[in-house]
Amino acid sequence: MPMNYACAEIDLAAISSNYAMARSTAPESKFMAVIKGDAYGHGIVEVARQLNTADAFGVARLDEAVALRDSGIKTPVTLLEGVLDSGELKTAGYHQIDLVVHSDHQVAMLERESGFNIWLKLETGMHRLGMSISDLSQNLARLKDHKVLGVMGHLASADTNDTSVTEDQLRVLDEATKSLPYAKSLANSAGILGHPDTRADWNRPGLMLYGATPFADLEPLASLRTAMTLTAPVIAINQVSEGDAVGYGGIWTAPADCRIAVIAIGYADGYPREAPMSTPVLIGGQKCMLAGRVSMDMITVELAADDLVRVGDRCVLWGKGLPIEEISRCTGTIPYTLMCGVSKRVSRNYVS
């Protein structure tokens, strides 16, 4: 790897371990591994190949599903947002993609077709995607020429300490499906880990596969293994004097004579520009703090006086030794956005 590149090291064995942990919570259930958004920035094809024992994969967009098929992935793939138009429907049929059906315009398209595997998505309290429960019986009749794999909902607040919304959603789904012979699916990562009653015939782990907590408190979970470690090299070490301003806007000035390390990563790589100067970077196993504003291609950190860091040393921005949850707290975001924000110019190095 060239020394001036940022790199995301992806631990595939960790992803397998996290998937196994999810399965252990409901051994009799089936699991749809959610690998949308390029597997949350980890690489959709590589992760799918690693999780070859998954019962199905969940993706958001048709091109993600097609990429899996073009790569030789035979595992069932579910298009979680369904299709938008007849062209997408034709492509989904050609590639044998299972469809989530959540709206009348999708029902109307499928009413003129036959032979698809479908999930019906109900509005259970998220108020985003989902057909009305009052339309369920009518829609089942309209979709009689397709195979119904199950009925699903999506948890709106399972990441919080307030269980009332989750309990209400579970009650709504149970009531709507109690007389139906179909599988049910409701639990996402937060449901799997924090709300055992939401585990059903099918569960849909997403974020937990990649080793980060899905809960709003952003406390790392010891039961999960970190999958992504984002690193970048030191490309310069500069001596600055007391009072010298570092970086755009001069928002940080040296409190005393010190050394500044320049690290080759910035917001073009997906490192958040909003990261404050209390954000840690791990260099040589020691935490250093940002000094100055994040720029497009570089960040700067203050080194300790006795630090032995050299040009070429690699720094950990998050991952092993520096939990992504800690960086999320510092930057006022969540692990999802950090993972998904790692740009294409950051190389991925797969290890197992």
Side-chain angles (χ1 to χ4, degrees), residues 39-51:
Y40 294 46
H42 292 70
I44 189 170
V45 172
E46 292 81 2
V47 171
R49 287 174 175 159
Q50 182 71 15
L51 297 180

Side-chain angles (χ1 to χ4, degrees), residues 68 89 93 115 137 163 167 174 178 207 221 227 245 272 307-308:
L68 292 174
L89 184 63
S137 295
T163 62
E167 291 166 356
D174 284 345
K178 65 182 180 181
L207 184 68
L221 298 176
D307 209 314
L308 300 179

Side-chain angles (χ1 to χ4, degrees), residues 117-154:
N117 292 336
I118 60 173
W119 284 88
L120 302 184
K121 187 167 190 175
L122 298 183
E123 168 48 56
T124 62
M126 182 74 164
H127 298 291
R128 194 176 62 178
L129 295 180
M131 64 180 65
S132 169
I133 289 171
S134 62
D135 294 332
L136 179 57
S137 295
Q138 174 186 339
N139 286 338
L140 281 169
R142 294 172 67 187
L143 297 167
K144 59 181 172 44
D145 293 327
H146 304 281
K147 180 181 179 180
V148 177
L149 300 176
V151 181
M152 67 168 59
H154 189 63

